[in-house]
Amino acid sequence: MTTIHDDPEEFAEDQLAGWLALHGDRVRGVHGGAVALPTEGAPPQVAVVVGGGSGHYPAFCGLVGPGFATGAVVGNVFTSPSAAQVYSVAKAADQGRGVVLSFGNYAGDTMNFGLAAERLRAEGVDTRIVVVTDDVASSDEVAQRRGIAGDFSVFKAMGAAAADGADLDTVERLGNAANAATRTIGVAFSGCTMPGATGPLFSVPDGHLGLGLGIHGEPGIRDVPVLPATDLAQLLVERVLAARPDGASTRVAPVLNGLGDTKYEELFLLWGRVLPLLTAAGLEVVEPEVGELVTSLDMGGCSLTLQWLDDDLERLWRADAYTPAYRKLRAPVAALVPATAVQEAEAEATVVPEATDASRRAADAARAAVAAMDELLREQEETLGRIDAVAGDGDHGRGMVKGIGAARRAVEQTGREAGVAFVLGRAGDAWAASAGGTSGVLWGAALEAFGRALGDDRETVAPADVVDAAQAFADSIVQLGRASRGDKTLLDALLPFVDELRAAVEQGAALPEAWQVAARTAVEQAAATADLTPRVGRARPLAEKSKGTPDAGATSMGMVLTRVGEVLAARAPKEGVVA
């Protein structure tokens, strides 16, 4: 809901006044909108004046500045500005080389911008019009389509051309070319609410999304069931690609746009699904934009825009721009070392230490154990999260899955020449980096400690050596976590395991047998934490609530130790080695 306002009827004027006060160092207000301040010493250029109703920020005034729009006309919320407002902004923006007026294809905008153009021409100002028609859902006829997030892409092309010194004919031609090359499809998750209104302009049925929304509060053309991110990406990409322009190239400039209430993190996630689909379709992605660029007040939803690039459009898309809401500066980015070069340098700098055959066999066992742990924790993610949610935030299962997944990828990418210390060191680094939080740090450090205790230079790896490594694993967690047995943490399962493992090995048991006996103890002690009250960690403030529920960390520790024991037992008959 649009909540902050005094008189809802004055919302558009009041928000613009605040925006002008904020950005008075780079724009000036005129009747109906804003105009960019001139750059000292810069030659005159074609004025690109964009606009439409309020409620779409950063469109339209947020795009005023060098390399983008010269001026923006701002109407009432979702309402075309008047012809007088358009005339006022265009007159102020004109630098003597002509004006291009550009806007989305809506009846009110077409009428008022058209009337203003006639008045400007009558006064000798050469004025052209470029209408944006990117919304593929609104009509099968291109000329009848609405302009939505593609406004951004078309405005960017004309602003860059004008900044480059192009004449009026060229700016107009490139604007029309940009529009002809641009396609958008959007979806709505919820409607938007006008200032002062008590309900949204439209609603989406529960469990559905509106396909093909407009940016003035228009609902989608039809409702479809809510989709997982992967399926939503597929829908957006397929719809836009199905409407690709005739003769289009294989280079595209994508815009994944949020409509006001969809969080940036959601858009980033969705982009991670969209990008592989574009690549799989044989497209070269050029400098994508992800964020809020053409919004609709507080509407929940997003849109995908593709502009198919030729050499001219690619140059304009890549060109610098500096506005209150959008900045693209090529020089700082060009000076950065490419990620591939950094990775190659890191790979060259990583020297795998010499390892004995015994250490390499132990490394193979570690790889098998990590893979088995990964499968186990994915199976148990929901259970662990449910246990953790009783007195925590319910993320233990997710965190463990992220950590072990990263560890598995790390060990699988490590060559077979590596020993167990190197392999588990890489696994620990990856776990800590990916999982984050206290649990991630503890598990990452403990895996490193286990590997370091075994080393890469042993000629044999005896059961007693593994016991010492397990002790190092536990000691690392004690030192970092500053917890003790009885605090209702994973140590309540781990420390009894180490004691039992040492006792069994000292009595002559083979390592797989000793490990499995000790793992059963760990599971029993993990279950017994249900009777304990947490004294450290996130569960401590809800100590009483946690009574009767075992600790999630202790539970996962028992599960992991049990699964590792199964791996050791399965490997021993084949290899005849303790590890």
Side-chain angles (χ1 to χ4, degrees), residues 241 249-254 278 283-288 305-309 317:
L241 293 186
S249 73
T250 57
R251 290 171 287 163
V252 293
L278 298 177
L283 298 174
E284 177 188 348
V285 172
V286 178
E287 296 187 4
T305 299
L306 295 181
Q307 184 178 88
W308 276 264
L309 303 173
W317 178 251

Side-chain angles (χ1 to χ4, degrees), residues 156-460:
K156 173 72 170 62
M158 290 189 290
D164 197 37
D167 62 22
L168 184 61
D169 288 340
T170 302
V171 174
E172 179 189 23
R173 175 180 62 79
L174 290 170
N176 285 322
N179 180 61
T182 303
R183 302 287 188 269
T184 302
I185 186 72
V187 294
F189 310 132
S190 61
C192 54
T193 306
M194 297 282 282
T198 58
L201 289 174
F202 70 92
S203 59
V204 179
D206 289 344
H208 288 73
L209 55 83
L211 175 64
L213 61 106
I215 59 169
H216 296 129
E218 305 97 333
I221 55 175
R222 65 186 177 92
D223 297 325
V224 300
V226 169
L227 301 170
T230 299
D231 295 338
L232 177 58
Q234 187 81 37
L235 173 66
L236 294 173
V237 171
E238 286 181 352
R239 290 295 182 119
V240 176
L241 293 186
R244 77 175 72 200
D246 294 337
S249 73
T250 57
R251 290 171 287 163
V252 293
V255 175
L256 185 58
N257 175 61
L259 285 156
D261 191 47
T262 301
K263 299 299 182 185
Y264 271 71
E265 288 89 344
E266 295 177 89
L267 296 174
F268 298 151
L269 186 156
L270 183 58
W271 174 248
R273 306 294 188 268
V274 167
L275 177 58
L277 297 176
L278 298 177
T279 303
L283 298 174
E284 177 188 348
V285 172
V286 178
E287 296 187 4
E289 296 290 346
V290 177
E292 292 185 345
L293 297 168
V294 182
T295 63
S296 187
L297 287 177
D298 61 339
M299 184 185 292
C302 61
S303 61
L304 176 64
T305 299
L306 295 181
Q307 184 178 88
W308 276 264
L309 303 173
D310 58 19
D311 290 345
D312 285 336
L313 292 180
E314 181 170 349
R315 174 177 54 83
L316 299 173
W317 178 251
R318 291 181 181 274
D320 286 359
Y322 193 90
T323 78
Y326 178 77
R327 295 162 195 179
K328 175 179 280 190
L329 298 175
R330 184 155 188 79
V333 177
L336 299 175
V337 177
T340 52
V342 173
Q343 291 164 354
E344 289 171 1
E346 289 177 345
E348 290 177 3
T350 301
V351 178
V352 179
E354 292 273 343
T356 63
D357 289 343
S359 183
R360 287 197 291 269
R361 287 195 297 271
D364 287 341
R367 288 187 182 89
V370 167
M373 289 165 59
D374 182 43
E375 294 168 2
L376 164 75
L377 290 170
R378 292 182 190 281
E379 294 166 3
Q380 299 298 328
E381 177 184 354
E382 183 178 346
T383 298
L384 294 171
R386 188 168 59 249
I387 294 171
D388 186 43
V390 172
D393 56 10
D395 69 344
H396 182 67
R398 175 94 301 255
M400 292 292 285
V401 165
K402 289 186 70 174
I404 189 60
R408 182 174 185 175
R409 289 190 294 274
V411 301
E412 288 178 348
Q413 291 166 6
T414 303
R416 295 290 171 174
E417 75 278 10
V420 66
F422 185 82
V423 167
L424 287 180
R426 297 297 291 269
D429 283 343
W431 189 311
S434 180
T438 303
S439 176
V441 172
L442 294 178
W443 269 94
L447 284 174
E448 286 189 73
F450 192 103
R452 191 165 52 247
L454 290 178
D456 288 331
D457 56 356
R458 293 180 184 273
E459 294 300 331
T460 61

Side-chain angles (χ1 to χ4, degrees), residues 127-180:
T127 305
R128 313 292 175 84
I129 289 177
V130 172
V131 182
V132 183
T133 57
D134 61 305
D135 180 14
V136 300
S138 56
S139 177
D140 291 333
E141 296 182 37
V142 174
Q144 302 301 316
R145 290 174 176 167
R146 302 175 295 203
I148 49 176
D151 285 356
F152 178 90
S153 306
V154 176
F155 298 165
K156 173 72 170 62
M158 290 189 290
D164 197 37
D167 62 22
L168 184 61
D169 288 340
T170 302
V171 174
E172 179 189 23
R173 175 180 62 79
L174 290 170
N176 285 322
N179 180 61

Side-chain angles (χ1 to χ4, degrees), residues 2 4-23 32-33 52-62 73-77 195 297:
T2 306
I4 300 176
H5 54 75
D6 290 321
D7 182 351
E9 298 299 321
E10 302 297 322
F11 179 84
E13 292 82 359
D14 290 346
Q15 65 84 23
L16 180 59
W19 184 83
L20 288 168
L22 179 64
H23 296 295
S54 298
H56 304 304
Y57 195 86
F60 295 94
C61 56
V73 195
V74 182
N76 205 349
V77 178
L297 287 177

Side-chain angles (χ1 to χ4, degrees), residues 26-100:
R26 61 199 73 181
V27 297
R28 65 185 178 95
V30 298
H31 174 62
V35 175
L37 295 177
T39 299
E40 186 174 357
Q45 66 179 54
V46 171
V48 176
V49 176
V50 304
S54 298
H56 304 304
Y57 195 86
F60 295 94
C61 56
L63 304 179
V64 174
F68 224 122
T70 320
V73 195
V74 182
N76 205 349
V77 178
F78 298 166
T79 303
S80 168
S82 69
Q85 289 174 309
V86 177
Y87 169 82
S88 170
V89 174
K91 191 75 172 175
D94 178 34
Q95 300 176 21
R97 297 193 62 192
V99 176
V100 176

